[in-house]
Amino acid sequence: MNILVLGGGGREHAIGWALAKSPKCEKLYMAPGNGGTSEIAENISGLNAEDGQAVLAFAQEHNVSLVVIGPEAPLVAGVADVLREAGIDVFGPSAEGAQLEGSKDFSKQFMMRNDIPTAAYATFSDAESAIAYVQEQGAPIVVKADGLAAGKGVVVAETVEEAVAAVRNCFDGAFGAAGATVVIEECMFGPECSLFSFVSNGMSYPMTPAQDHKRAYDGDKGPNTGGMGSYSPVPIVTDDEMAAMCEIMQKAAAATKAEFALDYRGTLYGGFMLTKQGPKIVEFNARFGDPETQCVLSRLDADLVDIMVAVAQGRPEDVHVSWSEKWAACVVLASAGYPGSYEKGKVITGISEAEELAGVKVFHAGTKINEAGELVTSGGRVLNVVALADSFDEARAQAYRACDLIQFEGKQMRTDIGVKAAKGRSAWE
């Protein structure tokens, strides 16, 4: 079959790579793709992934049987709805389902209605009421822009002054319409863990857990980023916690079928905090996470095409998943200055040498081929270097061996991916 993947980051490269391994994938399109996806797919640079009619026209013209929507913006824009109405299978929820990520207030109300454990919260549409609430509650406290803000709309404020500044930042237009409503939450404590599920027709099929590193610098210092590395599985998660997380994901999946006009069909991302009271949801996302996906799909021992088609068609009984016993570690190589301003166009070398190492795969994120035919940087997060190995320590070590072989001007990375988890739960206390 012909398959179209919408998106151009490391997550989409990993999804495309996993799909391309299936004998059922005859032709793969990536829109827009990146400098690495051109090795496995035909990149489509001129297609607006958030324009449902344009995506539909492309799918019909190229006889596409399955569309996989990577980023959140096309989901919130209703691209999946347009395609489904035209009879094309889509892996990705409807616009209504995508509101679990597109509106934090919508998501919190959903959790409260369905007894899903999460932080206490309040929602505000004006700055003065929000500030009064912050002053009453005290700090630490979490301030969130309600809508999509490219991962930058959340502030974990250590002081009341910081929280007040975050509230004013939202209402002063820093995030546009996304900050017109503000959600303020209690600050939960504990290690975080990501658990994705394949969800269809009210059923949840959990994937293997993963954990990412949001801060830019070693020791969890510096500004938040889209993610500087990840690993899977997560050694600090107990069997009881895993069972509780799976139960929460199934409760959420059943609620999507009961509440939404069209049952949820795609990945539901549970961002968990492992508190002393048990796992609680920090947030839901309506798609795969990045860079956790690069580790999770590297460990998938099943045909992703079969899984995604079954999910898209509402046949959860035909979703069969299994996982490699190997450990996966992912290190993000970023441009100098990320997550702030950075230069583009730096020539990249050493990827072929890195991928000659046992168990190593390099997924591209911010790369492109320039007019001279060179692979160059084109984004903040440039490459995702993933290693599979028989132990956690070896996976991390092999990933860093591969990183040392890859060069571009201004390359930056964290050198401590997975170190905290290797020390055990006490590292979070």
Side-chain angles (χ1 to χ4, degrees), residues 150-175:
K152 299 176 182 178
V154 177
V155 173
V156 181
E158 297 294 336
T159 66
V160 169
E161 292 74 19
E162 187 181 356
V164 169
V167 169
R168 293 203 184 280
N169 201 31
C170 285
F171 285 113
D172 285 346
F175 308 110

Side-chain angles (χ1 to χ4, degrees), residues 5 10-20 68 70 288 293 297 304 308:
V5 176
R11 165 185 54 209
E12 286 77 31
H13 190 181
I15 292 169
W17 169 79
L19 290 168
V68 180
F288 282 99
T293 297
L297 291 185
L304 187 60
M308 287 187 163

Side-chain angles (χ1 to χ4, degrees), residues 378-393:
S378 66
R381 292 189 294 173
V382 178
L383 298 168
N384 311 141
V385 182
V386 178
L388 284 177
D390 291 330
S391 72
F392 191 19
D393 287 343

Side-chain angles (χ1 to χ4, degrees), residues 4-353:
L4 169 63
V5 176
L6 300 181
R11 165 185 54 209
E12 286 77 31
H13 190 181
I15 292 169
W17 169 79
L19 290 168
K21 291 194 295 183
S22 170
K24 298 178 179 67
C25 179
E26 298 175 30
K27 175 73 176 182
L28 181 63
Y29 298 99
M30 305 281 292
N34 57 45
T37 60
S38 58
E39 297 178 358
I40 59 170
E42 180 180 341
N43 286 348
I44 308 298
S45 60
L47 181 60
N48 181 356
E50 297 178 37
D51 183 339
Q53 293 300 326
V55 175
L56 173 60
F58 179 91
Q60 291 174 330
E61 181 180 350
H62 293 84
N63 195 30
V64 168
S65 300
L66 173 68
V67 177
V68 180
I69 303 177
E72 59 273 22
L75 293 169
V76 172
V79 172
D81 303 77
V82 173
L83 294 166
R84 282 200 180 95
E85 187 174 348
I88 294 175
D89 290 337
V90 188
F91 185 89
S94 66
E96 183 182 23
Q99 283 299 296
L100 288 174
E101 177 169 4
S103 168
K104 293 176 179 63
D105 180 59
F106 178 96
S107 186
K108 295 294 281 192
Q109 291 189 44
F110 173 87
M111 290 184 238
M112 292 297 177
R113 282 196 306 274
N114 291 289
D115 195 27
I116 292 171
T118 188
Y121 82 105
T123 301
F124 300 91
S125 57
D126 70 280
E128 296 313 312
S129 297
I131 290 169
Y133 182 79
V134 165
Q135 292 171 334
E136 176 186 345
Q137 296 296 315
I141 198 164
V142 182
V143 179
K144 298 181 176 182
D146 177 63
L148 297 179
K152 299 176 182 178
V154 177
V155 173
V156 181
E158 297 294 336
T159 66
V160 169
E161 292 74 19
E162 187 181 356
V164 169
V167 169
R168 293 203 184 280
N169 201 31
C170 285
F171 285 113
D172 285 346
F175 308 110
T181 300
V182 170
V183 174
I184 300 177
E185 296 181 354
E186 70 167 317
C187 188
M188 299 188 292
F189 297 94
E192 292 189 49
C193 176
S194 302
L195 183 63
F196 311 152
S197 270
F198 294 112
V199 171
S200 182
N201 200 23
M203 296 298 297
S204 165
Y205 292 84
M207 304 183 211
T208 181
Q211 193 171 57
D212 75 343
H213 296 64
K214 288 294 187 187
R215 298 284 187 168
Y217 311 131
D218 285 1
D220 290 327
K221 305 294 184 182
N224 273 334
T225 72
M228 294 300 291
S230 61
Y231 50 85
S232 176
V234 182
I236 61 170
V237 174
T238 68
D239 290 345
D240 285 346
E241 286 173 329
M242 185 64 184
M245 289 191 294
C246 290
E247 182 179 345
I248 289 168
M249 295 303 287
Q250 177 53 50
K251 182 180 289 189
T256 65
K257 183 178 181 181
E259 293 194 11
F260 299 163
L262 177 67
D263 70 274
Y264 193 105
R265 298 182 185 182
T267 298
L268 183 62
Y269 169 141
F272 284 90
M273 184 77 76
L274 304 178
T275 75
K276 291 183 178 180
Q277 295 76 39
K280 294 184 179 183
I281 289 286
V282 177
E283 63 182 6
F284 281 124
N285 290 323
R287 37 72 191 177
F288 282 99
D290 188 344
E292 302 102 312
T293 297
Q294 290 83 313
C295 284
V296 169
L297 291 185
S298 292
R299 297 186 58 230
L300 179 65
D301 277 344
D303 190 312
L304 187 60
V305 172
D306 285 344
I307 293 171
M308 287 187 163
V309 170
V311 168
Q313 295 180 350
R315 297 184 288 106
E317 66 277 6
D318 293 327
V319 174
H320 303 291
V321 297
S322 60
W323 305 98
S324 166
E325 294 184 359
K326 290 185 178 292
W327 293 78
C330 171
V331 179
V332 172
L333 302 183
S335 297
Y338 175 80
S341 60
Y342 52 84
E343 295 181 354
K344 301 179 182 180
K346 307 301 183 182
V347 175
I348 304 167
T349 62
I351 292 177
S352 296
E353 292 80 359

